[in-house]
Amino acid sequence: METTLTPEYSKTSTVWPMTIIGILFFIFGFVTWLNGSLIPFLKIICDLSTFQALYVTLVFYIAYTVMALPASWLLSKIGYKNGMAVGLAIMVVATLLFLPAAYQANYLFFLTGLFILGTGLTILQTAANPYLVILGPKESAAMRISIMGIVNKGAGVIVPLVFSAVILSDIGDASEQALLALNEQELQALSERLIIPYLYMAAVLTFLIGLVKFSPLPEITPEPQQESDNKSGILQFPQVILGAIALFAYVGVEVIAGDTIGLFGSSLGVDNFAILTSYTMAFMVLGYIIGATCIPRYLSQTHALISSAIAGALCAISAAISAVDSSSISQLLWGFTSIPTIPNPVFFVALMGLAHALVWPSIWPLALDGLGRFTAQGSALLIMGISGGALLPMVYGALAEITTEQSAYWVALPCYLFILFYALKGHKMRQWRA
């Protein structure tokens, strides 16, 4: 492939770099999917509407758009390894900002901390993903990214359970109605429960700075390739531009499926709404296991993307139209209603995790193919696509305000259809046509 590791490193085992990057991907998942539990929690303690609560996703993911190109520039100046250490340091600053935010139950402080956290993650993601593409044959890149996805989404399964156990475990009735009945002092005490977990998070991130900084992780050396020699800029590569749009659509529906399921369940009266994100993440882990075991031996990256887009579209339609039964959390996910063959809509929201799990690992190698010396810029553009997690949940929130939270899941359908277009045609394009 057109991008390689440093020559002296290419002769050694990839176990150690995969381990380091795996730890980082666990951190990506833990920090990112904490938002799914944080959103309904902040909605209560800060007295927010559904739309206002989704500012959490807006400020967190918009950092990827604002900071992706500066992150690319930073990596070109200080290298990928040092860049990852800087990204972790920025995340430490962000987690420490959560301490006064929790002490004062100040939503603006929370949002500021989330933006800074997203900034640090932008640098980490811009550096880490190209490693996975070049650590072996490009045909199996989706398999390697799927392995990291298992780690990432495994953290997403764990974090809502940890959040619920640490923050809500001894409250008794933790339903939205019961928490809204708390007085101002009780809500303040509830907010302050966030302080200790974020202190621990800052300590772990500080440890990881040392781990990355003093590890033998190598630098990436881009090598020009014939296809990129006659190109003057990254905008001349349709496969990466369209790939960034496809990732925008994908991350949007990923965040909708992971971060709104708690709000949806809360609106239906589920007591322990904070753990619902775990269901979506568990399905995503299953999808990544399929990718890690089946790509490329049984399933090509292109066919995986096509299958994911079609399955996601079907799940989005089902989530928006199927009947509701909220009598218990088990029935909420698996219960049958007036149509005995169709589960509850929250089940389909969770199942979206399985449907789109292979989109991210399939798009990256397809989009970066043939970029040569423009690989770093291409990676930055793809990272900018993560801003879909900022904007599309806000569209969901606006639709939920004027219709219902269930009907708002229609927003996912056009996203899956664009991903299908990219899988069928977009990734093959090597020049723009008039």
Side-chain angles (χ1 to χ4, degrees), residues 17 19 61 125 134 150 187 191 273 277 312 315 325 339 379 394:
T19 301
Y61 289 101
Q125 292 254 33
I134 56 87
I150 294 171
L187 286 174
S191 177
F273 56 82
T277 297
C315 286
D325 177 8
I339 305 175
S379 177
M394 299 303 293

Side-chain angles (χ1 to χ4, degrees), residues 105-140:
N106 188 307
Y107 193 42
L108 181 60
F109 280 11
F110 279 117
L111 295 179
T112 303
L114 286 163
F115 180 84
I116 297 173
L117 201 59
T119 297
L121 281 171
T122 301
I123 299 172
L124 285 175
Q125 292 254 33
T126 305
N129 282 285
Y131 271 108
L132 296 178
V133 175
I134 56 87
L135 279 174
K138 64 181 181 180
E139 293 80 10
S140 60

Side-chain angles (χ1 to χ4, degrees), residues 46-59:
C46 297
D47 191 22
L48 308 170
S49 68
T50 296
F51 184 78
Q52 291 170 328
L54 287 170
Y55 281 140
V56 167
T57 62
L58 175 65
V59 300

